[in-house]
Amino acid sequence: MNKRFPTFIILFFIFSFSLFSQQKFTLSGSVSEASSNETMIGVTIAIPALNTGVTTNEYGFYSITLPQGEYEIQVSYLGFQDQLHTLQLTENSKLNFLMVEEAQQLEEVIVTNTSEKLDIRKPQMSVNTMSVSTIKKIPVILGEADVIKSILLLPGVTNAGEGSSGFNVRGGAVDQNLILLDEATIFNSSHLFGFFSVFNPDAIKDIKLYKGGIPARYGGRLSSVLDIFQKEGNSKEFHVNGGIGLVASRLLVEGPLKKDKAAFLIGGRSSYAHIFLPLFDIDNTAYFYDLNTKINFKLNENNNIFLSGYFGRDVFSISDSFVNTYGNAVGNFRWNHLLSNKLFSNLSLIYSDYYYGLKLDFVGFDWNSGIQNFNVKYDLKHYINDHLQINYGLNNIYYRFNPGKIAPSNSNSGIVEDQLIQKYANEFAAYIDIEHEITPELSLGYGLRFSNFNRLGQDEVNLYENDHPIVFNTELQIYQEADPIGVLNPKRNESLAKFNNFEPRISLSYTLNSESSVKASYSRLAQYLHLLSNTNSPTPLDVWTPSGTFIKPQLLDQYAIGYFQNLKEGYYSVETEIFYKDIQNRIDYVDGANLIANDAIEQVILNGEARAYGLEFLLRKNIGKLQGWLAYTLSKSEQRTPGRNAMESGINNGAWYNTPYDKTHDFSVYGNYELNSKWSFNTNFVYQTGQPTNYPIGQYEFQGLTVPYYGLRNKERLPSYHRMDVSATLTPKKNQFRKLQGEWVFSLYNVYSRKNAASISFRRNQDTNVNEAVRTSIFGIVPAVTYNFKF
């Protein structure tokens, strides 16, 4: 036996003990902009000697645990000067950083900032982050910077076309997107029926879109999460910025309430094209306005409070006989508390409301509907060490649904006041999310969300024979409404239906080398709310309804795998992903379903299934005078509703059919060129496969009328959609010598005036008596000019 073997064992144990017993300390703090004290999200705090680091959270906080020793700390965020600090870490330390903007603007990356740059080591995938500076430069209709229109240039994101509301992600429906503004739910993201979004870019701090691999802290929707945070306000000095456009203007004011301790922000935006309509003897109006507010107060090093809100309204009227008003109102009180240098907490009390009102004087009634929720959230982020972070928390949402109330608008109308049955529900969730670096090559993100949905009592509940609110007529081969056999009157605190779901999430990243990695993810999500809409694009009148006795919650299983690579030291980056989505209990509507003012919606819908799959590709150029990206998506989105038994035909004969948001090919290019300090140019090009639709396949005569006959659902398509937009930004040289900074933005939407089809209708020509197809287009070429300013 080798006599030196025991000595080796002793030395090994001494070394191992010294390694694992090496004392460690925690470095924590916050990162803010030096000019405003605005906290910064996604700033990188790196320790090059250990090849490790951390990024700041949604409130600018960071924490990292390191062995005792002397370190060089590198703090970086694109568009800001890098900072290098040397620190002797011998105890738990707090170190705050103030970031200074780069003086040389020509070197600023327009397409991405640090949080947008590809981090190949993190397990998070299927996420896109877009800077506000990028959004403001993308050419859009009528020259108004638009969050929703901008994210449509990303892979996997589409909508129903020009003048449509909302957006679709990876073949999902509009109601499957969770849209959050300072954690509050936004139920309608559009102004003026889709021409503008509700988000004022001047008030926005951070935007992140999750298309897959959605962390367990999010829930309640299947397709995506659009998480938007407002600015906090400048606590150092007063600033004003805004813009004046052809159809709308905006103004934002921010400043200190108590210097370096408290700040406020208030921003307003409004359209005003309707003011000029009377000059052309037009009595109609269509306009919007919104208001963003925020107050933050730093109580001490460990406590911050925030109070934020948003209020927006759209008004559309035809003379005084028809007035349509709708919009969102949200509010949020948040308390950030640092329990220790490793444990960060956030408590939020949130209110959200969506209102829809309609006044019809010519028939003498007023109509209003909407949805309200009250949400309590408590989230904690625990920085165990530089390899392990844990997020966990609770939230509870109480819902009130008003499907519609009708009331007489005057004493002579003859309308009898009527309230459709209001619905109530409560949604509770608890989650845990873990970010774990197993080895330098392998990182995992895994978590579990438990959700409970309780449909509460309401004034009346219909009872049906065999619990079937919809029956199938075998002779006519159609579905028909069932007659109720009785009515229940449950109390508010009673439960009509309960649903429990465990929603596991897991994602991983395996680093192939310093510039590339492979990632994969699986997500299960449950959605308990449904938007009642059988149009291609939702309208403001569409009504939300909760899951219950006859409407099951939607359940999603999504799988994704991708390859990610940085090229030429980050000058370029490539992201490719393949995804597959399987959805259970997707509601579908029988032919001829009436969704408006229907007090028994269960009589016209059935539970079906849906699926979507595809390939996404994104190539970005991140650095240089010319920056931009190329995005391509090849995908399929289908749904089907088979019969409940062998006697029933189901919907569409039980066959798979294209969803209204299926787009086989989706290609977009965006580019920004900084010519010099005075001029910059932007352009984007979009091509999409035409939207699924139905054309008549025949006709028959009935009592002298020609009645068209339609075949299976969504068998045809509109013509392909494509357009190009350009813009030029002029920044006067005199800006550098004065406090008032201004710029002019000149843009052309749809440069070659493509007449993209919003719809195609069929009619008989009165002169020739021949059937003809008529294409309806919304926009040709649209020029615009906007003046932006700040001081």
Side-chain angles (χ1 to χ4, degrees), residues 140-143 149 161-164 191-196 247 721-723 725 748-759 775-783:
V140 292
I141 184 69
L142 298 173
K149 296 295 188 295
E162 291 173 328
S164 63
H191 280 310
L192 293 184
F193 307 98
F195 291 121
F196 304 94
V247 297
Y721 178 99
H722 55 86
R723 73 167 203 277
D725 314 320
L748 284 176
Y749 177 87
N750 197 359
V751 172
Y752 50 87
S753 198
R754 161 78 173 178
K755 303 298 183 182
N756 288 297
S759 65
R775 174 188 295 198
T776 300
S777 299
I778 298 179
F779 292 115
I781 185 171
V782 181

Side-chain angles (χ1 to χ4, degrees), residues 265-485:
L265 176 148
I266 182 167
R269 189 172 56 144
S270 178
S271 64
Y272 40 71
H274 64 286
I275 296 176
F276 305 101
L277 294 180
L279 299 177
F280 304 95
D281 200 25
I282 299 175
D283 202 17
N284 304 338
T285 61
Y287 64 93
F288 72 86
Y289 58 91
D290 50 30
L291 179 70
N292 298 78
T293 60
K294 197 164 189 177
I295 295 174
N296 79 82
F297 192 81
K298 184 176 182 180
L299 301 176
N300 52 46
E301 285 294 320
N302 296 329
N303 293 278
N304 294 276
I305 59 174
F306 305 85
L307 182 62
S308 61
Y310 166 83
F311 180 84
R313 282 291 183 268
D314 282 73
V315 179
F316 173 68
S317 69
I318 300 176
S319 185
D320 289 328
S321 60
F322 175 93
V323 181
N324 181 200
T325 305
Y326 64 92
N328 302 276
V330 301
N332 184 8
F333 170 81
R334 283 179 290 162
W335 172 37
N336 290 172
H337 178 55
L338 192 60
L339 295 166
S340 73
N341 54 14
K342 290 187 177 184
L343 186 57
F344 181 92
S345 71
N346 178 69
L347 173 67
S348 297
L349 307 177
I350 306 166
Y351 169 78
S352 181
D353 172 81
Y354 175 69
Y355 168 80
Y356 180 87
L358 190 62
K359 181 178 181 180
L360 297 174
D361 262 2
F362 61 93
V363 291
F365 78 82
D366 294 337
W367 167 276
N368 67 78
S369 61
I371 176 174
Q372 295 176 316
N373 73 44
F374 304 87
N375 186 3
V376 179
K377 291 175 73 264
Y378 189 54
D379 303 291
L380 298 106
K381 188 176 184 82
H382 200 165
Y383 300 83
I384 305 298
N385 54 50
D386 57 323
H387 300 298
L388 181 64
Q389 299 175 17
I390 302 177
N391 300 277
Y392 46 94
L394 307 166
N395 79 282
N396 191 84
I397 308 175
Y398 175 79
Y399 295 99
R400 174 180 173 269
F401 303 83
N402 176 17
K405 180 181 180 180
I406 186 173
S409 60
N410 57 67
S411 58
N412 300 319
S413 69
I415 298 293
V416 178
E417 183 171 323
D418 185 32
Q419 170 70 64
L420 297 182
I421 298 171
Q422 299 194 57
K423 302 176 179 68
Y424 306 88
N426 192 82
E427 183 176 352
F428 169 81
Y431 75 90
I432 183 169
D433 235 339
I434 300 173
E435 302 172 36
H436 194 179
E437 183 180 313
I438 306 296
T439 69
E441 294 79 23
L442 179 63
S443 295
L444 295 180
Y446 49 95
L448 179 66
R449 182 182 182 89
F450 169 76
S451 59
N452 167 269
F453 191 82
N454 187 7
R455 176 71 179 273
L456 301 174
Q458 59 192 50
D459 292 343
E460 293 182 2
V461 176
N462 290 335
L463 297 176
Y464 301 93
E465 186 176 353
N466 299 322
D467 284 336
H468 281 179
I470 185 170
V471 295
F472 186 72
N473 187 319
T474 55
E475 293 183 3
L476 300 177
Q477 290 290 296
I478 61 173
Y479 285 95
Q480 297 176 326
E481 299 175 3
D483 294 324
I485 60 174

Side-chain angles (χ1 to χ4, degrees), residues 531-691:
L531 182 64
L532 300 177
S533 175
N534 56 2
T535 62
N536 288 343
S537 174
T539 68
L541 182 54
D542 295 334
V543 174
W544 290 83
T545 193
S547 298
T549 308
F550 306 110
I551 304 178
K552 300 177 182 178
Q554 301 177 73
L555 300 174
L556 164 81
D557 292 287
Q558 180 172 201
Y559 311 84
I561 186 169
Y563 174 76
F564 304 81
Q565 184 171 5
N566 286 327
L567 302 170
K568 293 189 176 181
E569 298 181 346
Y571 270 68
Y572 300 88
S573 60
V574 175
E575 305 176 35
T576 58
E577 291 191 39
I578 299 173
F579 67 88
Y580 180 84
K581 298 166 64 172
D582 179 72
I583 300 173
Q584 305 173 42
N585 305 325
R586 178 64 184 165
I587 61 174
D588 206 349
Y589 308 99
V590 300
D591 293 334
N594 177 29
L595 304 181
I596 305 301
N598 190 338
D599 225 355
I601 200 68
E602 68 273 7
Q603 296 177 343
V604 295
I605 62 177
L606 291 171
N607 292 297
E609 60 181 328
R611 66 186 181 190
Y613 47 90
L615 165 70
E616 295 176 355
F617 174 82
L618 179 64
L619 170 65
R620 299 192 293 193
K621 185 176 186 296
N622 302 315
I623 298 175
K625 281 193 171 186
L626 176 63
Q627 304 136 20
W629 67 78
L630 180 154
Y632 172 69
T633 306
L634 173 67
S635 63
K636 189 68 178 173
S637 175
E638 302 173 298
Q639 69 183 81
R640 72 169 178 175
T641 305
R644 295 169 295 186
N645 54 55
M647 302 294 293
E648 296 186 6
S649 63
I651 295 176
N652 202 58
N653 292 331
W656 288 100
Y657 68 92
N658 295 326
T659 65
Y661 22 90
D662 173 64
K663 305 238 177 126
T664 308
H665 302 284
D666 180 14
F667 175 81
S668 60
V669 178
Y670 167 73
N672 165 257
Y673 181 71
E674 294 280 344
L675 178 63
N676 50 44
S677 60
K678 186 176 180 179
W679 285 99
S680 67
F681 301 92
N682 295 268
T683 186
N684 54 259
F685 173 79
V686 176
Y687 173 88
Q688 295 176 350
T689 300
Q691 192 161 327

